[in-house]
Amino acid sequence: MAGDQLNAEGVSRRVASFDIRYTQYLDMEGRPVQPLPALADDPEQIVSLYRAMVLHRTFDAKAIALQRTGSLGTYAPCLGQEAVFAAVGAVMREEDVLVPYYRECGAQLLRGVTMTELLLYWGGDERGMNFEGPRGDFPCCVPIASQIPHAAGVAMAMKYRGEPRVTVTVFGDGAMSKGEFYETANAAAVWNLPLVFVANNNQWAISVPRNEQTRCETLAQKAVAAGFAGEQVDGNDLIAVMTRLSAAIDKARDGGGPTLIEAVTYRLSDHTTADDASRYRSEAEVEENRQYDPVIRIRRYLVNNAYWNDDKEQRLEQECREAVEQAVQAYLDTPPRAPESMFDHLYEKLPVAYAGQRDELVHKGEKS
Amino acid sequence: MTEMTLVEAVNSALAYELDADDNVIVLGEDIGVNGGVFRATVGLQERFGEQRVLDTPLAETLIAGVAVGMAAQGLRPIVEIQFMGFIYSTIDQILNHASRLRNRSHGRLTCPLVLRAPFGGGIHAPEHHSESTEAIFAHIPGLRVVIPSSPARAYGLLLAAIRDPDPVVFLEPKRIYRLVKQDVVDNGEALPLDTCYILREGADVTLVSWGGSLHETQLAANALAVDGVDAEVIDVVTLKPLDVQTILDSVAKTGRCVVVHEAARTAGFGAEIAAQLAEHGLLNLYAPVRRVTGYDTVMPLYKLEGYYLPSVEQIIAAVREVLEFG
């Protein structure tokens, strides 16, 4: 029989096998390595996503600067991973739900969360999570992987109601060592959920490199163990991430169940503004990875095809700076919350038991 | 009016609300065809289908997290965790997410879920099946912790918990799941949360308890009555948020208080009640507040569990002590 193998103990038969695809369309110079998919026929969309990536990068740099000057709390930078976020933001529909981790500003911006709201959140104000844009999206999630089961619950609600909606959850490579990932992947297949798992494999979970997280050759194959398809894409190639993510989302929307997309990228920044990556990785490694920069790659593609030029670039930079400055100003001008408002959203209605504590807070600091 | 045990009352409340509200989904391990390890969900999958009464993979963190996601989409998930000993892997989801989703998003997303679990000792169960760790949950802001102690209260309180717009941990004292039968009207009427229930009025001493321990507490009150001691018995029911006023009012009348619970003494919920009495009711007390509780030991395997659980005699002795104080 095909696949039968004779060994010392007798004949054993292959009962399962798998392979993992890797998709890349553009090389580092922005040149196609294979015929481009249909979405490349819409240069306007790619230009608009390039603009979003530059805006995101401008915002990111500003957020770090604000943190350094004491105007923002600890912030998780996104440098080098903009293509993943842009693709997530671009491919999802408004009525879909994003269940993000904490390194996610790019996708959130494209989903309609404002820069001011993001700054409020990272500036220590819950109002930043009550965003006006995508009302059903989850806010950032700090405890690693704990958001992943929420995505299954959201997807379950969509399926239960028979709605053609899809849930997308994003997490890092470190999250895939956690039970929440495994438990949810397993259940997503059992329940055939309209759920797309996006692993932003940026190679580093704070100080622990991807190869010390797992001996799996790819993170994508973890989906195979759960009984559904996983694949890798070049996470620095916007066209590749969009194409494969789009296919996964369409499949989920059509009742085809979950997919895991492992976007292979690199965290060019520190883990957060409280981290110093030089403690655990060499500058040479970071430099080596700068050549894969997703923003530069898609710009080269656009320039190569005459969809973009220096003039437009300069104007874009100016626009982004202005937009970010405006958002920062709105953030800085936001009146502070009344301290006692920390009781306002604890329950739908504040239980009598805590009314006294609220009063205590109102009078805290008053001289007796 | 139907005579029901506590576990049958739970089943009836679930059935009532599954029927009344399409948003209600019951999920957990072995709750479908098997009807739950204690048969609390028996017949529900048959009646409401696999979409509404859902057997999950064996993964408690997943179950709690899935419920958070469902609730954020406006469903009303009711999770069953088989035993208290298996509830701890849900705490990340309860503490980091369910209890604070409303607060984090300023009301944009909410989490109207119910997490049911049988708790407490006394049924000779295996290891990790008999603990009473309700105080862990009572410490979590944004949560409700509700514990019924009779079939009628289980029915009405579970309905209230399901309809509550915020997350509720609903702990069912499995020792009394089938201990008594009581007439329950299956009419969908909920009982109020956030309030203590006075089970017996009395003038001499206030006995405060919840869950399974109320059985011994009430037996003690009956025995004391024979000796002319008139005990007031309060079922706390909602540990969080605590209706401390009912307890304070009672102690203002009796001047004496004994708190009874199965959980270990240190930082058990009785400590909170004693602290509240010290803060707000000290001058009404004729004697120190006494606690009759489980010991600060690991819950023993069943050969010794009878020694661990508060007994009627211990409660009576504690009452004698506070009556004779000074």
Side-chain angles (χ1 to χ4, degrees):
Chain A
M1 226 173 113
D4 282 8
Q5 213 172 58
L6 188 64
N7 54 35
E9 291 78 32
V11 175
S12 64
R13 190 158 47 89
R14 174 180 291 159
V15 290
S17 62
F18 68 93
D19 59 2
I20 299 296
R21 304 169 40 152
Y22 173 83
T23 306
Q24 178 190 1
Y25 286 105
L26 300 177
D27 68 11
M28 292 183 297
E29 299 304 322
R31 290 177 308 229
V33 296
Q34 62 165 316
L36 294 183
L39 66 89
D41 298 339
D42 182 6
E44 262 178 48
Q45 189 193 18
I46 297 175
V47 166
S48 116
L49 288 173
Y50 170 66
R51 297 172 68 94
M53 287 163 74
V54 173
L55 177 64
H56 178 201
R57 186 165 280 194
T58 312
F59 171 82
D60 204 56
K62 185 67 187 182
I64 296 169
L66 288 170
Q67 190 279 332
R68 299 291 186 232
T69 53
S71 299
L72 199 72
T74 301
Y75 171 75
C78 302
L79 190 70
Q81 297 142 87
E82 291 88 347
V84 182
F85 306 126
V88 169
V91 172
M92 291 177 69
R93 289 188 192 160
E94 193 182 333
E95 65 270 25
D96 295 340
V97 171
L98 176 64
V99 183
Y101 72 138
Y102 53 84
R103 200 185 304 286
E104 201 66 70
C105 294
Q108 290 185 300
L109 287 172
L110 278 163
R111 299 275 301 151
V113 180
T114 68
M115 288 186 279
T116 303
E117 287 164 341
L118 291 175
L119 290 169
L120 277 171
Y121 172 68
W122 292 102
D125 188 330
E126 284 86 351
R127 286 176 294 183
M129 290 184 276
N130 183 16
F131 28 80
E132 292 299 324
R135 298 291 288 170
D137 282 10
F138 271 66
C140 279
C141 181
V142 172
I144 302 299
S146 64
Q147 82 282 13
I148 303 176
H150 305 162
V154 172
M156 182 73 96
M158 293 167 170
K159 187 181 174 190
Y160 173 67
R161 291 176 171 144
E163 299 164 340
R165 297 163 70 206
V166 174
T167 308
V168 176
T169 184
V170 189
F171 44 86
D173 36 301
M176 299 180 78
S177 297
K178 289 199 64 174
E180 289 94 326
F181 166 73
Y182 288 103
E183 292 187 12
T184 309
N186 181 60
V190 171
W191 292 330
N192 196 43
L193 294 179
L195 173 54
V196 177
F197 298 81
V198 178
N200 177 356
N201 173 8
N202 67 15
Q203 312 300 330
W204 289 92
I206 305 190
S207 67
V208 176
R210 177 250 179 265
N211 289 336
E212 288 177 34
Q213 289 292 341
T214 175
R215 292 287 176 251
C216 283
E217 297 161 276
T218 68
L219 300 180
Q221 72 204 54
K222 295 192 177 198
V224 176
F228 63 97
E231 59 178 291
Q232 267 190 347
V233 294
D234 181 340
N236 297 322
D237 176 349
L238 176 68
I239 292 179
V241 190
M242 279 179 73
T243 305
R244 298 314 305 158
L245 185 60
S246 192
I249 287 181
D250 288 349
K251 177 181 148 196
R253 206 181 302 283
D254 293 342
T259 305
L260 168 62
I261 306 278
E262 176 194 354
V264 183
T265 176
Y266 188 84
R267 195 191 81 210
L268 290 170
S269 62
D270 291 335
H271 158 66
T272 65
T273 51
D275 175 46
D276 173 9
S278 71
R279 289 174 63 83
Y280 50 80
R281 67 181 187 187
S282 69
E283 188 49 39
E285 181 192 303
V286 180
E287 273 314 309
E288 158 78 17
N289 277 283
R290 284 191 201 283
Q291 63 182 316
Y292 305 111
D293 188 317
V295 176
I296 294 173
R297 189 181 308 191
I298 196 67
R299 178 165 67 224
R300 284 177 177 157
Y301 165 78
L302 292 173
V303 169
N304 292 347
N305 290 279
Y307 301 133
W308 197 253
N309 57 39
D310 285 351
D311 202 34
K312 288 180 177 172
E313 182 70 19
Q314 276 171 15
R315 260 182 293 152
L316 174 62
E317 283 173 12
Q318 179 65 22
E319 280 168 36
C320 289
R321 269 198 303 272
E322 285 169 13
V324 170
E325 280 311 324
Q326 220 174 2
V328 169
Q329 205 51 52
Y331 157 63
L332 296 173
D333 291 345
T334 304
R337 287 170 60 194
E340 64 273 20
S341 70
M342 71 172 77
F343 285 92
D344 290 354
H345 301 283
L346 199 55
Y347 298 87
E348 185 181 64
K349 186 169 176 291
L350 186 67
V352 179
Y354 309 124
Q357 292 184 31
R358 188 178 183 281
D359 287 346
E360 232 176 81
L361 177 54
V362 170
H363 299 293
K364 193 170 181 173
E366 281 178 12
K367 292 212 166 64
S368 50
Chain B
M1 195 101 72
T2 320
E3 240 195 10
M4 292 183 197
T5 60
L6 197 154
V7 72
E8 287 165 350
V10 166
N11 183 276
S12 296
L14 292 171
Y16 188 93
E17 210 58 8
L18 276 162
D19 192 44
D21 182 355
D22 283 345
N23 288 320
V24 172
I25 307 273
V26 177
L27 67 160
E29 296 160 359
D30 306 300
I31 62 150
V33 178
N34 193 42
V37 288
F38 283 100
R39 308 288 175 259
T41 57
V42 80
L44 297 180
Q45 190 180 64
E46 207 177 344
R47 182 167 162 205
F48 297 100
E50 292 176 9
Q51 300 282 311
R52 308 283 310 280
V53 182
L54 184 71
D55 270 327
T56 66
L58 208 165
E60 287 83 8
T61 308
L62 167 87
I63 299 168
V66 161
V68 171
M70 287 176 153
Q73 284 285 307
L75 294 180
R76 301 236 161 198
I78 306 167
V79 166
E80 175 174 303
I81 298 294
Q82 287 186 338
F83 289 94
M84 198 75 177
F86 312 152
I87 211 170
Y88 308 114
S89 48
T90 72
I91 288 183
D92 184 20
Q93 288 297 326
I94 298 301
L95 204 161
N96 277 323
H97 294 295
S99 64
R100 53 194 284 166
L101 189 59
R102 175 189 293 281
N103 187 67
R104 297 181 70 217
S105 66
H106 274 194
R108 182 171 62 82
L109 300 175
T110 61
C111 202
L113 65 79
V114 177
L115 190 107
R116 296 177 40 241
F119 86 118
I123 64 161
H124 287 201
E127 197 177 6
H128 298 290
H129 284 58
S130 300
E131 288 72 14
S132 299
T133 44
E134 65 274 17
I136 294 175
F137 293 95
H139 190 64
I140 300 175
L143 212 56
R144 279 191 163 76
V145 179
V146 177
I147 300 178
S149 68
S150 76
R153 279 191 294 283
Y155 178 84
L157 292 167
L158 182 53
L159 285 175
I162 300 167
R163 294 169 192 167
D164 192 84
D166 289 301
V168 179
V169 172
F170 193 85
L171 300 175
E172 298 162 7
K174 61 180 179 287
R175 181 153 59 90
I176 58 171
Y177 258 159
R178 295 183 171 83
L179 190 69
V180 288
K181 285 200 168 200
Q182 188 179 29
D183 279 334
V184 178
V185 190
D186 186 7
N187 60 358
E189 251 177 55
L191 286 169
L193 302 176
D194 303 0
T195 180
C196 294
Y197 287 65
I198 297 174
L199 302 188
R200 175 196 178 103
E201 295 197 14
D204 299 333
V205 61
T206 302
L207 303 182
V208 181
S209 189
W210 53 90
S213 299
L214 269 162
H215 179 65
E216 286 73 30
T217 303
Q218 285 177 291
L219 289 179
N222 293 343
L224 287 161
V226 174
D227 292 344
V229 176
D230 189 14
E232 182 141 305
V233 176
I234 295 179
D235 182 356
V236 174
V237 173
T238 305
L239 271 62
K240 185 181 192 74
L242 175 66
D243 164 25
V244 75
Q245 198 56 51
T246 297
I247 299 171
L248 288 173
D249 290 348
S250 173
V251 172
K253 182 172 68 175
T254 64
R256 295 175 170 85
C257 184
V258 173
V259 185
V260 184
H261 61 67
E262 279 186 38
R265 192 167 308 159
T266 299
F269 198 72
E272 174 63 22
I273 291 170
Q276 295 263 13
L277 283 168
E279 277 189 311
H280 306 294
L282 189 65
L283 299 182
N284 291 323
L285 284 167
Y286 301 136
V289 176
R290 279 281 277 117
R291 288 178 287 166
V292 178
T293 69
Y295 301 106
D296 284 328
T297 62
V298 172
M299 178 77 195
L301 295 186
Y302 73 83
K303 287 268 168 59
L304 294 182
E305 76 175 338
Y307 293 94
Y308 175 92
L309 298 172
S311 65
V312 176
E313 294 71 26
Q314 274 177 295
I315 300 166
I316 292 173
V319 169
R320 294 277 176 220
E321 217 177 286
V322 299
L323 286 171
E324 288 158 16
F325 182 81

